[in-house]
Amino acid sequence: MKSAWSPLRHATFRAMWIASVVSNVGTWMHTVAASWLMTTLATSPLPVALVQTATTLPVFLLGLPSGAVADLIDRRRLLIFTQSWMLAAAGVLGILTLLGAIGPWWLLALTFAIGLGAAMNGPAWSAAIPELVPREELAAAVALNSVGFNIARAIGPALGGMVMAASNAGIVFLLNAISFLAVILVLWQWRYARPVAEQPDPGLRDAMHEGLRYVRSSRMYHAVLVRAGLFAFAASALWAMLPVVASAGLGTSSTGYGILLGCLGAGSVIGAAILAPLRRRFSSDVLLAVGVVMFALATAALALIQHFALMALAMLMGGVAWMMVMTTFNVCAQMAPPAGLRARALAIYILVFQGALAFGSSGWGAVAGRIGVRGSLLVAVALLVVGLATGARLRLSPTVVEDHEYAA
């Protein structure tokens, strides 16, 4: 019987998983250091906000092209290039900071350069996972990737703050550069064999159009994109409002906020552990429905509960729910497309999901300014339920690979 941890028995997946956790820790350290450094370089809040923009904008600029490139060329070489690109950008940023030569625009430009590498890296990395484990272990592998990300999210910001307190932001940036080196070393040893194409590879433009045609003609992928987009938009309210509730609603410090984030991360680990046996008993649609309802309850708790310990338990439940929903969506997104189109389809999935999260976060902030934090969270709860009901007709079938001709 396959367990939640069975993918770690495969040496290549295990090495890449460990390396990705190290790299993600470095990325979260960079995020904290870059935001803090910008506050010392600029007096206006706009440049501070632009740090996050520089991180996320490349996903929208390069989403589909990066997926097409990942399907057209050797993914291993592409991943080595993108990791090397991010290593170089982080290294230059660290050196300039240590030399005292960094300014607001250099910080934004080099953060944007790292974001470009991450945008090119994402679809290729996601498309590589099904090539590292047997098909029956893909769900567990996707869940483990999410666990690794949550581990990094819990450790990275705190570690970044500690390093900055002991030294400065330049050291943090250099440590981030070293974290990319760990991934490069693992990729260098990966014996990847690119599948032999039955037809000559199209050009980049034709490859992008082919990916769009697949998504347009695939009812299965319509279900993934619509339901994931609806969920991400509504669920972003919890992530956006959590620091506000922690400070203003519960009156806690940054430590308390960190504990609540840690509960979300711990819940994700629990969710990964229980998801494998649940997937053998229940369909993806059932697991998705349960996960959305649980996340809606956690969001409602964030709006209504005033007790810290009860809030921590609610966030623990929210972490379990987040893992159930995200793993279900990710497995469907990775298993549905044919292998030759997987990276392009995943690029569109990432674009939709990240876009819904980004626009949702800013949207809920605007709503909270008009009707209050509690009101915005309760509206988000209603949208989660409405989205679940709306998407009920769009069923998910992750075991089906749609390998057909695509309508023009």
Side-chain angles (χ1 to χ4, degrees), residues 136-217:
E136 62 271 15
E137 295 183 12
L138 178 58
V142 171
L144 281 172
N145 268 355
S146 298
V147 168
F149 182 81
N150 281 283
I151 291 173
R153 182 169 57 187
I155 297 175
L159 187 58
M162 292 170 58
V163 173
M164 281 193 297
S167 55
N168 58 48
I171 299 298
V172 176
F173 297 144
L174 290 179
L175 289 175
N176 184 33
I178 294 172
S179 74
F180 294 122
L181 183 60
V183 182
I184 293 171
L185 292 175
V186 172
L187 289 170
W188 197 264
Q189 298 176 2
W190 177 24
R191 297 181 179 275
Y192 172 71
R194 187 187 176 205
V196 178
E198 297 181 0
Q199 298 179 352
D201 288 330
L204 179 61
R205 183 176 179 180
D206 290 338
M208 292 169 59
H209 287 164
E210 189 178 7
L212 290 171
R213 284 198 299 271
Y214 166 74
V215 171
R216 217 170 37 228
S217 64

Side-chain angles (χ1 to χ4, degrees), residues 14-15 95 146 176 237 264 295-296 301:
R14 181 173 64 249
I95 292 171
S146 298
N176 184 33
L264 282 164
F295 199 85

Side-chain angles (χ1 to χ4, degrees), residues 25 62 83 93 125 174 200 208 212 243 266 322 335 345 356 385 399 405:
V25 168
L62 295 180
Q83 295 289 327
L93 180 57
W125 187 274
L174 290 179
M208 292 169 59
L212 290 171
W322 181 262
M335 294 183 70
V385 176
T399 58
E405 296 295 328

